[in-house]
């Protein structure tokens, strides 16, 4: 007798969850369109970003992360979930990250709305710690590139016009309070 447990079926919790997220994105994109689907997924990404930020700041024993620590956390969190992210560069204006693989693996192909998880998690963490972020997804595996290139801009621009990316704003009071305590704020 052939038993299901002996069948070679590519199914485990990870494959199931990636498939579930893909089908959710597919359903949203087909019902409400790419832009609205991206918006819904953004809400989830923001919530996840807040949870991840809290987990890292608590584990590192810090009330707030520096730019260098934010970059380190962004790479580390993606590595932990099997996204092969790495730091390309960083300075006071931006953090540039690359990736050779997506945590959603092949399930992300053709589902750009799923990239909002990365945008929102990165944007939320950066903004919560540094006050502001604009995340630009320059290249994505979802759009058919061999890898991803994500730019996290750290300074607001006066006129964004048609600039790509999504803006994120942190808790300004907390960021200002930390700056004043560190002696870098304007004080009042």
């Amino acid at each position: 007798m052939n038993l299901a447990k002996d069948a070679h079926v590519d199914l485990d919790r990870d494959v199931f969850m990636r498939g579930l997220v893909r089908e959710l994105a597919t359903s949203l994109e087909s019902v409400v369109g790419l832009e609205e689907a991206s918006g819904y997924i953004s809400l989830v990404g923001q919530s996840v970003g807040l949870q991840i930020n809290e987990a890292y700041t608590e584990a590192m024993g810090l009330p707030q992360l520096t730019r260098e620590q934010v970059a380190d956390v962004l790479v580390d969190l993606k590595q932990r979930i099997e996204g092969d992210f790495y730091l390309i560069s960083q300075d006071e204006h931006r953090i540039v990250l690359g990736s050779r693989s997506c945590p959603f693996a092949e399930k992300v192909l053709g589902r750009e709305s799923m990239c909002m998880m990365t945008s929102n998690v990165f944007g939320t963490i950066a903004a919560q710690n540094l006050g502001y972020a604009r995340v630009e997804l320059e290249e994505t595996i979802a759009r058919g590139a061999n890898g991803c290139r994500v730019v996290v801009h750290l300074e607001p621009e006066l006129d964004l016009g048609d600039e790509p990316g999504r803006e994120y704003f942190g808790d300004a009071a907390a960021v200002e309070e930390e700056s004043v305590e560190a002696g870098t704020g304007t004080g009042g």
Side-chain angles (χ1 to χ4, degrees), residues 94 112 116 119 132-140 143 149-157 159-168:
R94 62 189 194 156
E112 292 181 51
M116 287 300 101
S119 178
Y132 172 85
R134 179 170 54 86
V135 179
E136 181 180 357
L137 303 171
E138 286 186 346
E139 296 177 8
T140 67
R143 290 192 303 249
R149 182 178 168 92
V150 180
V151 181
V152 182
H153 299 273
L154 303 174
E155 296 179 342
E157 303 199 16
D159 180 22
L160 285 176
D162 290 335
E163 288 289 317
R166 286 182 180 256
E167 290 187 292
Y168 302 87

Side-chain angles (χ1 to χ4, degrees), residues 73-139:
V73 163
L74 299 182
V75 170
D76 184 70
L77 78 89
K78 286 294 192 170
Q79 291 287 332
R80 288 177 188 252
I81 61 172
E82 297 183 32
D84 190 10
F85 272 71
Y86 55 93
L87 182 65
I88 295 172
S89 68
Q90 69 171 304
D91 59 33
E92 63 274 5
H93 306 290
R94 62 189 194 156
I95 299 168
V96 182
L97 301 150
S99 176
R100 292 174 280 265
S101 68
C102 177
F104 294 115
E106 76 287 349
K107 303 293 187 190
V108 78
L109 297 174
R111 293 294 167 261
E112 292 181 51
S113 63
M114 292 170 70
C115 297
M116 287 300 101
M117 286 299 293
T118 295
S119 178
N120 279 273
V121 169
F122 281 13
T124 298
I125 291 171
Q128 286 299 307
N129 290 286
L130 306 174
Y132 172 85
R134 179 170 54 86
V135 179
E136 181 180 357
L137 303 171
E138 286 186 346
E139 296 177 8

